[in-house]
């Protein structure tokens, strides 16, 4: 039987669980938990890797330079940031912004799956390798799978969700020549939104 998870109270409960989780070594090094942000009825959900320095300070996802670039990408397609839900695979900042370990990802993946079921979006956009591998359980790199659509289901969902992967904004800041791929991938999202 699929657990009933679909209310704002459930979202608040999961955010409290994330903030109080002591199973992960990151609990000793992070400043704040960054569980997610946006309306709990959003049709679009973005999932990144983990918070950076500014996110850790403000307890909000994507507020640093990568977040500013994400905002520009959204604005290009007339998507208001306030209308989408944004979270990360790991809600705590790894020291020195290192990539989250496999164990850290496994600890928080159930929270992410519950988060997805509560928001219940029509489309999920995975930002970068870590999110793509964690959610899709796919070992192919982002350069191979970006721009492709996948069907997603987890134990808490009653429906299949459309997922697409795009390059993480922080990668695009380091490799500006790849921004064209992000624009093209988001055009596919725009098309899918119009089809739904």
């Amino acid at each position: 039987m699929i657990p009933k998870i679909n209310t704002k109270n459930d979202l608040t409960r999961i955010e409290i669980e994330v903030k109080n989780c002591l199973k992960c070594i990151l609990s000793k090094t992070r400043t704040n938990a960054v569980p997610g942000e946006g309306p709990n009825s959003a049709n679009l959900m973005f999932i990144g890797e983990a918070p950076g320095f500014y996110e850790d300070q403000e307890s909000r996802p994507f507020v640093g330079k990568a977040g500013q670039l994400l905002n520009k990408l959204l604005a290009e397609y007339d998507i208001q940031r306030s209308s989408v839900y944004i979270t990360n695979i790991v809600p705590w900042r790894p020291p020195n912004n290192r990539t989250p370990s496999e164990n850290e990802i496994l600890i928080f993946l159930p929270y992410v799956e519950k988060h997805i079921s509560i928001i219940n979006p029509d489309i999920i956009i995975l930002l970068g390798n870590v999110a793509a591998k964690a959610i899709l359980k796919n070992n192919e790199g982002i350069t191979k799978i970006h721009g492709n659509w996948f069907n997603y289901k987890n134990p808490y969902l009653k429906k299949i969700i459309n997922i697409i992967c795009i390059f993480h904004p922080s990668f695009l800041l380091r490799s500006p020549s790849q921004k064209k791929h992000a624009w093209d991938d988001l055009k596919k999202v725009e098309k899918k939104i119009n089809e739904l």
Side-chain angles (χ1 to χ4, degrees), residues 69 73 167-179 182:
L69 178 55
L73 290 168
F167 289 117
H168 196 286
S170 62
F171 170 76
L172 297 175
L173 288 171
R174 296 189 305 271
S175 306
S177 63
Q178 300 297 317
K179 286 182 182 176

Side-chain angles (χ1 to χ4, degrees), residues 21-35:
C21 178
L22 299 177
K23 293 185 285 186
C24 183
I25 195 164
L26 297 180
S27 66
K28 296 183 169 109
T29 59
R30 54 91 174 174
T31 303
N32 290 300
V34 186

Side-chain angles (χ1 to χ4, degrees), residues 58-79:
E58 295 187 32
S59 193
R60 294 182 60 216
F62 286 90
V63 293
K65 289 184 179 177
Q68 292 166 18
L69 178 55
L70 179 61
N71 291 345
K72 287 180 184 174
L73 290 168
L74 294 176
E76 185 69 24
Y77 292 92
D78 291 324
I79 298 171

Side-chain angles (χ1 to χ4, degrees), residues 45-123:
M45 184 175 192
F46 288 78
I47 304 176
E49 178 180 312
F53 173 80
Y54 295 104
E55 290 78 12
D56 186 40
Q57 295 299 306
E58 295 187 32
S59 193
R60 294 182 60 216
F62 286 90
V63 293
K65 289 184 179 177
Q68 292 166 18
L69 178 55
L70 179 61
N71 291 345
K72 287 180 184 174
L73 290 168
L74 294 176
E76 185 69 24
Y77 292 92
D78 291 324
I79 298 171
Q80 300 295 317
R81 177 171 169 143
S82 61
S83 71
V84 304
Y85 196 89
I86 304 176
T87 190
N88 286 295
I89 294 295
V90 172
W92 294 351
R93 180 193 181 209
N96 301 312
N97 292 346
R98 67 162 170 76
T99 301
S101 71
E102 187 174 338
N103 184 57
E104 290 160 357
I105 291 167
L106 289 174
I107 287 170
F108 287 108
L109 194 56
Y111 295 113
V112 177
E113 291 177 340
K114 290 175 185 177
H115 233 132
I116 290 169
S117 70
I118 293 167
I119 305 305
N120 199 30
D122 293 322
I123 296 172

